[in-house]
Amino acid sequence: MIEIIAAFARWSQLVANLIIFGSCIFLAIAGQQKAVFESPWAIRLERGFPWLVGIILVGLLGILATTTGEATGIAANAWRPDAWLEVVQQTRMGQMWAARALFALVLLGAILYIRYAYRVRWHYILGAVAASLPLIAGSLVSHSAAEEISVISILPYVLHILLAGAWFGALPAFLLIIFNKKEPDKPLDLLSTESLKKFSTIALPVMVVLMLTGFIIADRMVEEDYHALVSSAYGWLINIKLMLLAIILVIAYRARARWLPSFTQVNYVEQIQRGGQQLKKWVSIEFILAIIMVLCATILSNTIPAKHATVENWPYSFRFSIDATWSEPYTPLLFWSGVVLLILAAGSVWLGIKNKWEIKKRVGIPASLTIASLAIALPPLAVDAYPETYQSTPVPFDAISISNGSVLFSQNCTSCHGPQGKGNGILAKTFNPPPADLLTEPHTARHTAGDFFHWLTYGIAATGMPGFSNNMSEEDRWDVVNYMHGMSRGYQARLLSPMVVPEKPSIGPPIFSYFAHDSSSGYLKDFRQEKNVMLVLFTWPQSQDRLQELKASYDKLRELSTVILAVPMNKLDQQEIIQIAADIPFPVVTEGAQEIKNSYILYRRTLTHPDILGEGIIPEHLEFLVDRFGYLRARWIQDRDESGWDNMDFLKQQLVQLNSEKEILPPPSDHVH
C-alpha cells in the first residue's frame, strides 16, 4: 500500500510541476502580443497555478512520509513528523527533499506574485524559472544520484525533464484554447491561432531533443544488457513509454499538418467543424497518453535499472547474439541486407509524406519493408537460450572458485574436452559433433555463463554430453563455469608482455584473498584506487636470485605506489617459509597461495609459447602487474620472455606508465557473464 501512495505522490507533484513550467513557457511565448493575457483561456490557465503548487507541496509531503517509512523499515514512521525530520537531517535523500521543498515554496511565491500582479510577459519567464528549480532538484535523485555528480552526467537528466515540461506542460493551454471556442463554425481568433502555431513550431525540436536525451538516459540504465528490455520491469516500462511516445508523435504530426490548419480556415465552415472536432478529440487523447507516460516515467525512476536487473528465468527459447553468430556463413550478408531494407522503409515513409500517397500505400510499403528487413536480419542472429541464460552467477570469479573448478574439470571433463579444454580428450573422436574447444576458440566468450551452467546441469541433447546435476552441486557447477572462463581469458591473454600497452586496460584478473607470513592479510580489491600490485609467483629455491633482485629494488617500487605479493608455487614447510621471509621485506602468501597459483597459471601462455598440447608446461616463475584500477596490464615469464623485468629500470618505466594513467574503464566485474 505504501508503494502505491508513494508512486501517486511522486506522479501527482511531477504532473503539477510540469504543467506550471510548460504553461508559463507557453504564455511567455504567446505573450509577445499583450492582448493574449486578457484571453479567457489564459485567465483560466493562470487561475489553476496556485492549486497546482498546492498539489506539488502535498505531493512532496507524501514523498517524505512514504520515503521515511520505506527507508526506516517501519511503516508507522510514515505518520511521524519527528521521523521525517530525522531523515531530512541525516540522509542525502532527505537533504535533497528539503531543497525540493524550498524550491516549491519559492515557486509558490512566484505564482502568487504573478496571480495578483499586472500581467507582463517577463512574469511568466520568472514563473518558468521558478518552476524549473524543483524539477532540476528532482532530477538529482533516484538513478542520476547513483552516478558521479558532474555537469556531463547530470545534464541529460535535467534537459530531459525540462523539455518534457515544455511539451507536456503546454498541452493544457492548447486544450483550453481549442475548447474555449464557443462557435464551432467560426475559425479561431487571430491571437489564439498565432499562439497554437508558435507552440506547434517549437514542439518538433523539443520532441527531437527530448527523445535524444531519453535515449542517452536509457542507454546508461541498460548499458549492454539489452536482453533486460524484454525480461525486466524496467525494460517493459521503457517499451511502454516508447509505444506511447510513438502514438503521441503520430497525433502531434496529424494535429500540426492537418487538423490545426483546417481549424483555423476562414472560409470553409465544414472543414472548421471537422478540424475542430478532430483536434479536440485527439489532443485530449494525447494529453491523457502523456499523463500515463509521465506515470511510467515516475515508476521508472524508482525501478531497478535494466543493467542491474536479475533475470533468473529467461522466458524465451532463443536470444539474439552478434558475438555468437557473426562468424557463421552468410550471417553478415543477411544482417546488412536487412539493415538496407530498414533504411529503405524509413525512406519510403518520407516519400509517402512528400508525394502524398494514399493511406494504404503510405502505411503498407514501409510496413512490408520493415517486416521483410526483420525477417532477413534477425533469424541468423538467433541462438538457443535457456531459463538460466541470463542468470547472475552467485559465485564470484575468484581464485578459490577457479581452483575448485580446475579440480572438478579434471575429474569430469578432460576425457572428452582434454586436459586443457582443447576438445582433444581421449574420447573426443567417438563423438559427432566433437567436443567444443573451450580454450583456443572463442566459444566461451560467445555464450553466457548461464548457458554453460544449463549445459553442465542438463547436458546437450544429440551431442553425447551428459548432465552433471547428480555429480556436482550447484556451486560446483558455477565453479566449473568460472574455470572455463579462466581458461578462455588466459588464452586470450597470451598477447600480454612485459610492456604495458598505454591506455588499454581490458583483462580482469581473478580476484583473491590472502594471509601472509607477517600476519598481514587482505583482498586484491583492497588496493584499488591506491596501489599497483606486482604478483610474483615463485618456485623455491629456483627463484631465489629473482627475489633478491626485487628486494634490492623494493624501496623504489614502493615509491612508485606498487606493492609486491610473493606467492609460492610449490608447497613449502614452515622452516622454508621462515627462511624466505627472513630475507625479503615484502609479504609471502601462506594461505591462499595454492588457489592463486591454480588461477594465474591459466595466464601463462604467450604468442611464442601457446602451450596447448598435453597437460601443459607450468613455468617456474611468473610475475604479473595489476594496475590500481583492478586490470591485469602486463606479465613477465622469466624463462620465456627474452627481455623483461630483470631489467629493473624497464620495470620502473612500466610502473611510471601505469601511474600516469587516469581511470579509463569502470572496475572489472567480480562475476563472469
Side-chain angles (χ1 to χ4, degrees):
M1 186 62 181
I2 195 170
E3 292 86 358
I4 296 175
I5 296 173
F8 180 77
R10 288 190 289 265
W11 171 72
S12 60
Q13 65 86 26
L14 179 59
V15 168
N17 204 158
L18 292 172
I19 289 176
I20 294 176
F21 177 72
S23 297
C24 285
I25 290 178
F26 188 98
L27 289 168
I29 293 172
Q32 290 175 337
Q33 302 182 58
K34 293 183 179 180
V36 166
F37 300 138
E38 303 303 322
S39 300
W41 63 265
I43 295 172
R44 290 179 63 187
L45 185 65
E46 187 183 299
R47 283 175 182 168
F49 286 173
W51 295 99
L52 291 171
V53 177
I55 292 174
I56 294 173
L57 291 170
V58 172
L60 285 173
L61 193 62
I63 290 172
L64 177 60
T66 54
T67 299
T68 301
E70 292 174 339
T72 60
I74 302 173
N77 283 344
W79 311 103
R80 292 178 51 211
D82 58 322
W84 304 350
L85 183 61
E86 190 174 349
V87 168
V88 171
Q89 291 176 333
Q90 298 183 6
T91 67
R92 181 181 182 277
M93 174 179 57
Q95 293 161 3
M96 290 303 302
W97 179 91
R100 296 170 71 185
L102 177 62
F103 289 144
L105 292 173
V106 171
L107 174 59
L108 176 62
I111 291 302
L112 292 176
Y113 175 76
I114 293 170
R115 183 75 181 84
Y116 297 105
Y118 179 76
R119 296 183 182 89
V120 182
R121 188 184 178 205
W122 72 265
H123 289 171
Y124 297 103
I125 298 175
L126 173 66
V129 171
S132 72
L133 297 178
L135 292 174
I136 293 172
S139 69
L140 299 179
V141 298
S142 189
H143 299 316
S144 61
E147 299 185 23
E148 181 182 352
I149 302 300
S150 66
V151 173
I152 294 176
S153 64
I154 296 300
L155 187 60
Y157 296 93
V158 173
L159 283 178
H160 189 70
I161 194 67
L162 294 182
L163 291 168
W167 159 68
F168 167 74
L171 289 177
F174 197 110
L175 288 169
L176 283 174
I177 291 175
I178 60 179
F179 275 96
N180 193 63
K181 192 167 83 71
K182 296 179 180 179
E183 299 182 68
D185 58 346
K186 298 292 183 182
L188 281 174
D189 61 85
L190 184 61
L191 284 176
S192 297
T193 299
E194 289 300 316
S195 298
L196 291 183
K197 286 183 176 179
K198 288 175 182 176
F199 169 73
S200 183
T201 300
I202 68 167
L204 179 60
V206 164
M207 290 301 291
V208 169
V209 183
L210 178 66
M211 287 189 292
L212 178 62
T213 54
F215 281 123
I216 292 173
I217 293 170
D219 179 67
R220 289 182 179 181
M221 295 298 104
V222 176
E223 290 186 350
E224 297 180 356
D225 296 332
Y226 299 112
H227 62 276
L229 290 174
V230 291
S231 59
S232 69
Y234 192 94
W236 282 115
L237 283 168
I238 287 181
N239 294 334
I240 293 171
K241 274 189 68 179
L242 290 174
M243 181 184 67
L244 292 172
L245 181 60
I247 298 172
I248 287 169
L249 289 174
V250 171
I251 294 173
Y253 167 75
R254 298 282 286 178
R256 180 182 180 185
R258 186 169 181 178
W259 302 323
L260 184 58
S262 65
F263 194 38
T264 56
Q265 297 276 348
V266 176
N267 299 319
Y268 301 97
V269 174
E270 185 177 345
Q271 289 187 18
I272 293 172
Q273 292 179 339
R274 188 184 304 114
Q277 291 171 355
Q278 294 292 330
L279 202 59
K280 290 177 182 178
K281 173 184 175 182
W282 287 104
V283 174
S284 298
I285 292 174
E286 180 183 0
F287 183 60
I288 293 171
L289 293 177
I291 289 177
I292 297 173
M293 194 163 76
V294 173
L295 177 60
C296 289
T298 304
I299 299 173
L300 259 178
S301 65
N302 291 274
T303 303
I304 296 174
K307 64 182 179 181
H308 297 313
T310 301
V311 183
E312 294 293 343
N313 192 354
W314 177 247
Y316 312 103
S317 62
F318 66 93
R319 65 185 177 95
F320 297 110
S321 172
I322 291 178
D323 290 338
T325 59
W326 197 252
S327 61
E328 297 295 324
Y330 305 114
T331 295
L333 175 63
L334 292 171
F335 175 78
W336 290 116
S337 298
V339 170
V340 170
L341 285 177
L342 193 61
I343 294 172
L344 290 176
S348 67
V349 172
W350 177 77
L351 285 175
I353 295 173
K354 180 181 179 182
N355 298 323
K356 298 181 179 179
W357 292 348
E358 61 180 358
I359 189 67
K360 291 183 179 179
K361 188 177 179 182
R362 194 187 308 173
V363 174
I365 291 177
S368 299
L369 288 171
T370 300
I371 293 171
S373 72
L374 297 178
I376 291 173
L378 293 183
L381 300 179
V383 295
D384 290 339
Y386 315 95
E388 303 89 349
T389 286
Y390 290 108
Q391 195 172 113
S392 298
T393 59
V395 180
F397 184 68
D398 64 16
I400 294 175
S401 175
I402 295 170
S403 181
N404 186 47
S406 69
V407 175
L408 293 166
F409 187 90
S410 176
Q411 293 171 348
N412 296 279
C413 309
T414 55
S415 59
C416 300
H417 289 280
Q420 297 195 70
K422 184 71 176 63
N424 57 355
I426 57 175
L427 299 179
K429 293 183 180 180
T430 65
F431 292 98
N432 186 21
D437 181 349
L438 303 173
L439 180 67
T440 62
E441 296 294 329
H443 181 76
T444 306
R446 287 177 178 174
H447 296 282
T448 69
D451 286 344
F452 285 101
F453 181 80
H454 178 88
W455 293 328
L456 282 167
T457 302
Y458 301 105
I460 304 177
T463 66
M465 176 174 169
F468 292 94
S469 57
N470 294 328
N471 302 60
M472 303 183 205
S473 67
E474 180 176 334
E475 184 173 340
D476 285 344
R477 279 170 270 153
W478 284 118
D479 287 342
V480 174
V481 172
N482 280 334
Y483 175 69
M484 288 190 292
H485 272 269
M487 284 195 301
S488 180
R489 289 190 192 186
Y491 185 75
Q492 300 305 318
R494 68 193 185 283
L495 298 175
L496 284 174
S497 73
M499 180 174 290
V500 171
V501 179
E503 311 289 338
K504 293 290 184 181
S506 61
I507 301 174
I511 53 179
F512 59 82
S513 58
Y514 69 92
F515 288 87
H517 77 282
D518 57 1
S519 299
S520 64
S521 62
Y523 205 47
L524 180 61
K525 292 168 60 176
D526 294 342
F527 300 103
R528 287 187 185 173
Q529 305 296 333
E530 300 290 337
K531 304 283 186 181
N532 306 307
V533 177
M534 186 172 181
L535 192 63
V536 179
L537 275 64
F538 71 93
T539 303
W540 185 260
Q542 290 90 329
S543 300
Q544 187 171 6
D545 291 342
R546 176 57 181 169
L547 293 178
Q548 289 300 312
E549 291 176 357
L550 292 172
K551 172 186 175 182
S553 300
Y554 184 56
D555 290 339
K556 293 292 184 181
L557 297 179
R558 285 198 301 178
E559 291 174 3
L560 292 169
S561 299
T562 302
V563 299
I564 297 177
L565 292 178
V567 180
M569 297 178 68
N570 53 333
K571 291 185 178 181
L572 303 177
D573 59 34
Q574 189 65 28
Q575 191 61 38
E576 288 174 316
I577 291 175
I578 293 173
Q579 179 185 352
I580 297 169
D583 198 37
I584 58 175
F586 39 83
V588 177
V589 174
T590 53
E591 293 185 35
Q594 190 66 23
E595 289 80 6
I596 296 171
K597 170 210 167 183
N598 290 343
S599 302
Y600 277 82
I601 60 172
L602 299 176
Y603 295 75
R604 70 185 181 274
R605 298 179 178 88
T606 68
L607 290 174
T608 56
H609 295 78
D611 190 18
I612 59 176
L613 300 177
E615 298 287 341
I617 301 173
I618 310 301
E620 292 181 340
H621 190 98
L622 303 91
E623 296 180 11
F624 300 90
L625 273 183
V626 179
D627 69 18
R628 66 188 187 281
F629 304 115
Y631 285 91
L632 181 58
R633 299 298 301 277
R635 175 204 57 212
W636 178 56
I637 303 178
Q638 196 171 33
D639 59 352
R640 293 186 182 178
D641 294 308
E642 294 182 0
S643 61
W645 299 341
D646 48 349
N647 182 340
M648 299 307 294
D649 289 335
F650 176 73
L651 173 59
K652 293 170 187 175
Q653 291 172 8
Q654 307 314 302
L655 294 174
V656 169
Q657 170 63 44
L658 290 181
N659 293 337
S660 69
E661 295 181 359
K662 297 181 179 179
E663 189 167 11
I664 299 169
L665 296 175
S669 174
D670 292 347
H671 297 77
V672 298
H673 300 286

